[in-house]
Amino acid sequence: MNTSTLNASQLAAVVYNEGPHLVIAGAGSGKTRVLTYKVAHLLEQGVAAGHILALTFTNKAAREMKSRICQLVGEESARYLWMGTFHSIFSRLLRQEAQLLGYTHDYSIYDTTDSKSVIKHIIKDMQLDDKVYKPSVVHARISMAKNKLQSPNLYAADREYLMRDRFEKMQEMARVYAEYNRRLKAANAMDFDDILVNTNALLNKFPEVAEKYQELFQYILVDEYQDTNRAQYMIIKKLAEQHHRICVVGDDAQSIYSFRGADISNILNFQKDYPEAQLFKLEQNYRSTQTIVNAANSLIRHNKGQIRKEVFSDLNIGERISLSTHMTDRDEAKAVAKQVQRLAPSVYSYDDIAIMYRTNAQSRVIEDELRQLNIPYRIYGGTSFYQRKEIKDALAYLRLVTNRDDNEAFLRVVNYPTRGIGDTTVGRLMEASRLNKCSLMQVAIAPERMTDDLSAATQKKVSEFAQMIERFAEEMLTKDAYVFAQDVMTQTGILREAKSDTTPEGVARYENLEEMLSSIHEFCERRQQDGIDFTPIADFLAEVSLLTDQDEHLDDMQERVTLLTIHAAKGLEFRATLIVGMEENLFPSAFSQTLREIEEERRLLYVAITRSMDRCFLMNARQRFRNGQVTFSTPSRFLKDIDRQFVLNTDEVVHRPAPKKEIPTITHTHSHLTPTTGAKEKSKRKTIRSEWAKDDRVMHRVFGAGTVLDVYRENDNDKIDIQFDAVGKKTLLVTYAKLERLV
């Protein structure tokens, strides 16, 4: 393995494996590269792949990391790595040990929609006010409690929870939580949070199991450690108890998910947990210009709760961050759209540009203005493929076949496609289920014995549905996932119903179902490549249930400006970013009052700024339409935290000469745009870079290989047209192209 591409700090972190160590990786510092090389180094040192546990937060990150490891050491060496998300790895572990906790190995995993459905039924059955006990709110509170490893009993005894629930007139929350857990257990099901809760319980209640996995996982690596919650922290700590060979990688300055249960103290206190731990700092940023890095440093320096580091960049100095104030949010949106228009497609492609905001509601007015100028855009984090109704319906059939006690799956498909089993019948089946203390499927198998409330005709319809599911369950044992899923979707009539609808929406649904079958086929093929000849449908369901939003792919290849919340932007990078809404009570949020909360908001802005490679624009408005009324705003306190030498604001535009720069600066004066390119700069840009000529073969780090079409000057900018093999023609600024010659 060639480590010559690693800098000294990266190499030191890669080769050290003697005990616990913390790798603090600044933004753009090559964290993934270090983790990849670290695993590869362990394998080269003779550590068996099956003894290495590498935990990530997305399946995409795990797949990419494993692919790179395979390139470094070969597929055979890396085949048996325990590498994946917390939930996928621990779900795999629980499949083997679930019976110790009272589950069967084929338990279902409920996603958020399933969980909210259970909660909705509980609220109805307990005759609670659904306007007070909103399923989404109840689910969030239960999830947060589970992330903190608080059982219903501990929840009921927590004074802070009780006071909050009483204040919000939700005094029955503890009972709802307890009933929710009971129903999941009765359905042989776990939600996402239960995977962690139950893994923790397994390791602490059964010492022999803990010892087994402590011995198995001799080397533990954790990515994005700053995002771990209490449950994840406790599991990791328990697993590392025997060998202490644990490496955690992260950046406390990018801890922004406390609302999901993430606890920054996990990374801040790592050296207290392991006093012998070694500390490695990755401080060289390979993404952003010096100015952007310095600006971000000056901002985050104001946080007290942090591990100090000094991130630096050896890239070009670059433009100062542009700061502009506008009269209204509409003016701000107009300025955003005009700025994008000036940047793309002449300077950057649309894909190179991101517009970021603190809350989703801010996107509406920006979308309006982008549409006015015919600027293509995408909303990052829209409805994911596996959350679409027709897909969830199809998956529910497959779930019910693999786990006949899955009541939520039963309710979703018992009358889909329509087979004459209406809401009244379903209600009577649910009542019989409660009275007989059994699953809905058990009632459906023998409705004549379970209830007297159904007519003979209705009983026949219900039992025929149950018989179909039972028949599928027998076939499941001998058919691989793809063949089986195809049979189920054909025989149930799902495909036929979708195909019969010739409206655009119906055609889209049918195409989605076909695409789902394709995804199952690809899954089976991947398993075959790993040496697994037979893939049961349960394995595919386990993977799908654990997909995260970051794992979803865009529907098309058209270049578009990306609109997204800053929380969704973490881990991404763009050539140019526009960050809007830099106002008090918006950023920082009005809900952030304590020092801890304000510091997280400051970290959020740090994340936003460090997504930028070349250009960063900060914008605010003096008045904004929010919550049905116009509110007057003051600039965000965070703007004062950024050292002024790295910021270009309106006063500087009016009273000071523009700084030296490689790209003409475009700055705002309230709602209009003013180009500010100095004469001296124009004189410096007369000579076209001569090393590139027509038909030269070049390599670009983003677009790949291509052929030079033309090199020319336009509007005082030296540009190069390149026909890239993979993405077509692109026009780039010569200065920023960063091309390599292909021989």
Side-chain angles (χ1 to χ4, degrees):
M1 181 178 67
N2 183 8
T3 59
S4 61
T5 58
L6 302 175
N7 64 38
S9 299
Q10 292 172 334
L11 182 60
V14 165
V15 300
Y16 182 83
N17 289 300
E18 300 305 314
H21 49 300
L22 168 63
V23 181
I24 295 296
S29 63
K31 166 180 67 65
T32 302
R33 175 181 289 267
V34 167
L35 277 171
T36 301
Y37 274 79
K38 194 170 188 68
V39 174
H41 177 71
L42 286 171
L43 294 171
E44 282 200 339
Q45 294 299 304
V47 179
H51 288 313
I52 300 173
L53 171 64
L55 295 167
T56 66
F57 274 85
T58 70
N59 289 297
K60 181 181 177 184
R63 286 195 299 268
E64 290 179 352
M65 200 179 301
K66 190 170 183 179
S67 176
R68 294 182 192 180
I69 293 167
C70 290
Q71 292 173 11
L72 291 171
V73 298
E75 291 187 18
E76 192 61 34
S77 298
R79 174 168 291 182
Y80 299 107
L81 285 169
W82 287 75
M83 178 174 283
T85 65
F86 287 86
H87 291 89
S88 65
I89 293 294
F90 297 144
S91 175
R92 180 179 167 187
L93 185 152
L94 285 171
R95 292 284 177 194
Q96 301 178 33
E97 314 289 349
Q99 69 278 4
L100 294 173
L101 298 173
Y103 297 87
T104 66
H105 71 278
D106 57 357
Y107 63 84
S108 295
I109 300 175
Y110 280 10
D111 64 11
T112 300
T113 303
D114 297 325
S115 296
K116 289 180 181 178
S117 178
V118 175
I119 291 168
K120 187 177 180 181
H121 289 304
I122 292 172
I123 292 168
K124 183 180 179 181
D125 294 343
M126 293 178 64
Q127 298 182 334
L128 300 173
D129 187 348
D130 58 6
K131 293 183 176 61
V132 177
Y133 292 86
K134 296 179 180 178
S136 57
V137 175
V138 173
H139 177 259
R141 294 193 178 185
I142 292 174
S143 180
M144 188 63 74
K146 288 187 176 184
N147 285 333
K148 294 179 179 179
L149 296 176
Q150 291 180 307
S151 66
N153 288 337
L154 289 174
Y155 185 102
D158 191 297
R159 181 177 175 85
E160 183 178 334
Y161 283 150
L162 290 174
M163 289 179 63
R164 180 195 63 187
D165 292 343
R166 192 178 297 116
F167 178 77
E168 297 181 6
K169 300 180 180 179
M170 297 176 67
Q171 295 96 325
E172 300 297 325
M173 257 304 305
R175 282 183 58 212
V176 173
Y177 181 10
E179 178 62 14
Y180 172 75
N181 269 12
R182 188 196 69 76
R183 292 195 184 189
L184 259 63
K185 189 68 176 290
N188 190 35
M190 301 183 196
D191 62 17
F192 263 37
D193 302 310
D194 283 331
I195 293 173
L196 301 179
V197 170
N198 288 332
T199 300
N200 183 71
L202 189 69
L203 297 175
N204 284 281
K205 289 181 179 179
F206 302 95
E208 68 281 4
V209 175
E211 186 176 344
K212 170 184 171 182
Y213 290 104
Q214 288 167 353
E215 182 59 35
L216 178 64
F217 302 135
Q218 297 181 12
Y219 293 86
I220 300 173
L221 299 91
V222 186
D223 191 15
E224 304 287 6
Y225 192 65
Q226 77 280 348
D227 294 334
T228 54
N229 58 34
R230 174 71 176 172
Q232 290 162 332
Y233 164 80
M234 293 298 293
I235 294 169
I236 295 163
K237 191 176 181 183
K238 189 70 176 179
L239 289 173
E241 209 169 76
Q242 183 172 327
H243 296 289
H244 274 217
R245 290 195 280 262
I246 177 174
C247 170
V248 301
V249 182
D251 184 6
D252 56 288
Q254 298 186 65
S255 179
I256 59 174
Y257 296 127
S258 65
F259 65 95
R260 296 181 186 171
D263 188 350
I264 193 174
S265 64
N266 292 346
I267 193 168
L268 295 179
N269 295 334
F270 184 83
Q271 290 174 290
K272 293 181 180 178
D273 292 335
Y274 303 95
E276 75 276 28
Q278 296 291 311
L279 175 63
F280 299 90
K281 295 182 181 180
L282 307 182
E283 296 176 300
Q284 184 169 358
N285 180 297
Y286 293 93
R287 173 189 300 152
S288 308
T289 64
Q290 296 180 38
T291 298
I292 289 173
V293 169
N294 291 338
N297 284 345
S298 69
L299 169 72
I300 204 64
R301 200 172 288 125
H302 291 269
N303 271 14
K304 294 181 179 179
Q306 63 172 297
I307 299 171
R308 297 287 175 180
K309 60 183 178 297
E310 194 63 34
V311 181
F312 67 95
S313 171
D314 284 340
L315 302 178
N316 61 302
I317 296 175
E319 299 285 346
R320 285 187 287 176
I321 291 177
S322 294
L323 172 61
S324 59
T325 298
H326 308 274
M327 290 303 299
T328 68
D329 54 343
R330 177 65 66 176
D331 291 332
E332 179 190 61
K334 288 180 183 294
V336 167
K338 290 179 181 177
Q339 186 64 274
V340 171
Q341 196 176 51
R342 289 175 180 254
L343 292 174
S346 58
V347 180
Y348 303 121
S349 73
Y350 288 122
D351 284 345
D352 290 331
I353 302 171
I355 302 165
M356 293 186 277
Y357 33 79
R358 180 65 181 83
T359 66
N360 273 306
Q362 291 170 256
S363 77
R364 181 188 64 82
V365 66
I366 296 172
E367 290 184 66
D368 288 347
E369 296 302 324
L370 293 176
R371 286 194 295 267
Q372 285 290 322
L373 296 183
N374 293 317
I375 296 172
Y377 69 90
R378 64 169 64 85
I379 304 290
Y380 185 85
T383 303
S384 65
F385 179 80
Y386 290 102
Q387 293 300 314
R388 295 169 186 171
K389 180 182 180 304
E390 62 273 16
I391 302 303
K392 288 187 70 70
D393 289 338
L395 289 174
Y397 265 111
L398 302 177
R399 280 173 38 191
L400 183 60
V401 174
T402 59
N403 175 16
R404 269 85 78 203
D405 292 331
D406 189 335
N407 285 344
E408 292 305 309
F410 181 99
L411 291 170
R412 193 172 189 100
V413 302
V414 67
N415 199 40
Y416 173 75
T418 303
R419 52 176 60 88
I421 303 175
D423 291 343
T424 301
T425 299
V426 171
R428 289 169 179 171
L429 293 175
M430 292 177 69
E431 181 64 24
S433 169
R434 285 192 291 270
L435 291 174
N436 292 278
K437 297 181 179 179
C438 63
S439 69
L440 288 167
M441 190 63 180
Q442 288 174 297
V443 176
I445 290 171
E448 68 281 358
R449 290 195 289 108
M450 296 291 186
T451 178
D452 297 324
D453 293 335
L454 301 178
S455 66
T458 302
Q459 287 179 9
K460 185 172 183 291
K461 293 173 184 176
V462 171
S463 61
E464 284 176 350
F465 169 76
Q467 289 165 15
M468 178 182 66
I469 299 299
E470 290 294 321
R471 186 178 73 252
F472 285 149
E474 293 178 6
E475 296 173 359
M476 174 183 66
L477 302 176
T478 58
K479 296 179 178 178
D480 79 351
Y482 173 68
V483 173
F484 177 73
Q486 198 172 38
D487 288 349
V488 170
M489 292 169 67
T490 301
Q491 294 176 36
T492 56
I494 294 176
L495 284 173
R496 183 174 61 255
E497 182 182 78
K499 196 172 185 178
S500 65
D501 186 352
T502 57
T503 65
E505 295 80 8
V507 172
R509 284 194 291 271
Y510 180 76
E511 290 174 347
N512 287 337
L513 290 169
E514 288 288 326
E515 184 60 27
M516 193 192 91
L517 286 173
S518 296
S519 71
I520 299 174
H521 188 266
E522 291 170 4
F523 178 74
C524 292
E525 286 188 333
R526 289 202 306 272
R527 296 287 292 256
Q528 285 182 340
Q529 291 169 4
D530 289 338
I532 302 171
D533 294 326
F534 180 79
T535 300
I537 193 64
D539 288 5
F540 173 77
L541 292 173
E543 173 159 298
V544 168
S545 66
L546 299 168
L547 288 175
T548 63
D549 290 342
Q550 295 102 313
D551 299 316
E552 301 302 328
H553 302 285
L554 297 169
D555 291 331
D556 61 78
M557 297 296 292
Q558 183 185 355
E559 289 185 359
R560 301 170 185 264
V561 175
T562 300
L563 275 65
L564 73 174
T565 65
I566 301 170
H567 281 101
K570 187 171 174 290
L572 305 177
E573 63 181 28
F574 303 90
R575 299 294 297 275
T577 61
L578 298 93
I579 306 166
V580 301
M582 293 301 306
E583 300 139 35
E584 286 293 299
N585 297 322
L586 183 56
F587 201 176
S589 165
F591 298 103
S592 298
Q593 300 292 330
T594 66
L595 176 63
R596 188 182 181 100
E597 291 167 342
I598 292 296
E599 291 202 342
E600 178 158 332
E601 290 285 299
R602 188 178 284 111
R603 292 194 297 270
L604 190 60
L605 180 57
Y606 176 86
V607 167
I609 292 173
T610 56
R611 300 311 93 196
S612 312
M613 299 168 68
D614 302 332
R615 303 294 305 274
C616 181
F617 301 84
L618 300 178
M619 299 181 177
N620 58 29
R622 292 177 177 174
Q623 63 185 49
R624 187 173 298 275
F625 193 80
R626 298 179 67 191
N627 302 320
Q629 60 183 4
V630 175
T631 59
F632 294 90
S633 307
T634 56
S636 169
R637 71 189 74 182
F638 298 148
L639 296 176
K640 296 180 180 179
D641 292 341
I642 304 174
D643 195 315
R644 307 311 296 173
Q645 67 178 305
F646 308 123
V647 178
L648 181 68
N649 61 27
T650 303
D651 290 337
E652 290 178 292
V653 174
V654 175
H655 301 297
R656 302 177 192 173
K660 296 180 180 180
K661 41 197 171 299
E662 296 176 346
I663 300 178
T665 297
I666 300 169
T667 56
H668 303 294
T669 304
H670 299 305
S671 62
H672 62 276
L673 303 173
T674 307
T676 61
T677 305
K680 290 184 179 180
E681 287 181 13
K682 292 182 181 180
S683 65
K684 287 184 179 181
R685 301 174 70 90
K686 288 181 179 179
T687 304
I688 295 175
R689 294 173 64 108
S690 59
E691 63 263 43
W692 309 118
K694 189 173 184 295
D695 296 327
D696 280 350
R697 290 287 292 171
V698 297
M699 175 65 72
H700 187 274
R701 66 175 181 172
V702 176
F703 304 128
T707 303
V708 175
L709 300 177
D710 196 10
V711 185
Y712 57 99
R713 172 169 292 184
E714 185 179 83
N715 297 328
D716 295 320
N717 289 320
D718 295 337
K719 299 181 179 181
I720 183 168
D721 288 346
I722 303 172
Q723 182 70 32
F724 289 101
D725 300 345
V727 296
K729 183 182 175 182
K730 299 283 185 183
T731 300
L732 308 174
L733 285 183
V734 173
T735 304
Y736 270 70
K738 297 179 181 179
L739 302 171
E740 294 179 13
R741 192 179 301 276
L742 293 176
V743 180

